[in-house]
């Protein structure tokens, strides 16, 4: 498909609609998003902005935003943005556009484009898969296997002890950044078991009174974060040194660097700080 002056359907799927001039385009090169630059301001481009820039588009429906369709497009990692465009890291979107909603929409595009790229062939028989007509799924014409977007649940927990909270430094964090203990749910586990196990494994303590707080999609590439609070029960902090290199109890008024409010960890830590 090529971009022309005339709108055209992107496929025969009912999930696809006619591309309008004002459709938003989330074009991703690895973890970077293509944005339009005007002076020192950044904007999410519309379809009409990208004519002649996207040469081999494979636009995928993502969601609706402000009355217009959002499409995702995977760019080659070697893609070079032209004049007035720039590739920015997804984690910088809120800061650079001033709109946290674009962070989640671009993240959702990342999730869906990742799913498409990982499911071009059937995992059961190896046949090429096709888009299902009536829902977001891929189907194998040979064995009938239907593949839906995968969502991997993970828990993240704020642990309280008296008037302090547990924060940990992960080896992949930038220097000085501390956050909550998180980890993927394993087969056969409840969410509460996952909370208990991750905290025990990573910092060696037992927790009790595990309480659900909120959830947040974390599409990097396909997680759903389920946030909890818990109370310290027993044990001394012993970091595993494989994932966590340091952990400690912090007072709400003397916190180290913490994640931004784009993440549920950042929101949960600030909620605690502002309420204690
Ligand atoms: Zn198959």
């Amino acid at each position: 498909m090529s971009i022309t002056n005339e709108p055209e359907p992107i496929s025969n799927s009912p999930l696809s609609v006619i591309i309008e001039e004002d459709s938003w385009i989330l074009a991703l090169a690895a973890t970077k998003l293509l944005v339009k630059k005007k002076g020192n301001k950044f904007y999410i481009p519309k379809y009409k902005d990208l004519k002649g820039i996207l040469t081999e588009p494979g636009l995928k429906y993502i969601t609706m935003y402000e009355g217009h369709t959002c499409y995702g497009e995977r760019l080659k990692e070697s893609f070079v943005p032209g004049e007035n465009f720039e590739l920015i890291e997804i984690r910088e979107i809120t800061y650079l556009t001033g709109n946290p909603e674009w962070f989640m929409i671009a993240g959702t595009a990342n999730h869906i484009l990742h799913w498409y790229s990982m499911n071009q062939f059937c995992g059961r028989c190896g046949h090429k898969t096709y888009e299902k007509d009536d829902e977001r799924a891929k189907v194998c014409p040979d064995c009938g296997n239907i593949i839906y977007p995968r969502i991997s649940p993970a828990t993240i927990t704020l642990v309280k002890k008296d008037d302090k909270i547990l924060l940990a430094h992960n080896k992949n964090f930038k220097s000085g950044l501390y956050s909550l203990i998180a980890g993927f749910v394993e087969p056969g586990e409840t969410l509460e078991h996952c909370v208990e196990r991750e905290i025990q494994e990573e910092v060696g303590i037992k927790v009790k009174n595990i309480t659900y707080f909120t959830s947040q999609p974390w599409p990097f590439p396909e997680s759903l974060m389920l946030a909890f609070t818990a109370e310290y029960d027993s044990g001394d902090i012993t970091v595993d040194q494989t994932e966590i290199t340091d952990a400690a109890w912090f007072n709400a008024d003397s916190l180290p660097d913490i994640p931004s409010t784009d993440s549920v960890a950042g929101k949960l830590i600030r909620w605690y700080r502002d309420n204690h």
Side-chain angles (χ1 to χ4, degrees), residues 122 125 140 143 145:
C122 176
C125 76
C140 173
C143 74
N145 185 24

Side-chain angles (χ1 to χ4, degrees), residues 121-129 139-147:
F121 297 91
C122 176
R124 184 193 282 157
C125 76
H127 201 285
K128 185 168 172 49
T129 57
V139 62
C140 173
D142 201 50
C143 74
N145 185 24
I146 298 175
I147 310 153

Side-chain angles (χ1 to χ4, degrees), residues 3 54 199:
I3 290 184
L54 297 182
I199 294 169

Side-chain angles (χ1 to χ4, degrees), residues 58-73:
L59 298 175
K60 302 295 184 193
Y61 172 78
I62 305 300
T63 188
M64 296 294 293
Y65 184 63
E66 291 186 338
H68 298 292
T69 313
C70 302
Y71 291 101
E73 163 79 9

Side-chain angles (χ1 to χ4, degrees), residues 24 46 64-68 99 101-102:
W24 307 102
K46 294 194 161 179
M64 296 294 293
Y65 184 63
E66 291 186 338
H68 298 292
N99 182 352
E101 288 181 277
W102 281 125

Side-chain angles (χ1 to χ4, degrees), residues 156-169 178-182 195 198-200 202-207 228 230-239 244 246-252 255-256 258-259 265 268-269 272:
I156 186 160
T157 310
L158 181 142
V159 183
K160 299 179 270 191
K161 182 186 184 188
D162 302 322
D163 58 350
K164 294 182 175 174
I165 60 170
L166 178 70
L167 294 176
H169 178 78
Y178 281 72
S179 187
L180 306 174
I181 301 291
V195 169
E198 285 290 341
I199 294 169
Q200 176 81 53
E202 294 189 3
V203 291
I205 63 169
K206 281 192 188 324
V207 296
F228 293 83
E231 290 173 23
Y232 168 82
D233 183 28
S234 60
D236 295 320
I237 292 175
T238 314
V239 296
I244 303 297
D246 187 36
W249 299 102
F250 289 89
N251 274 312
L255 294 176
I258 57 173
L268 186 45
I269 296 167
Y272 177 83

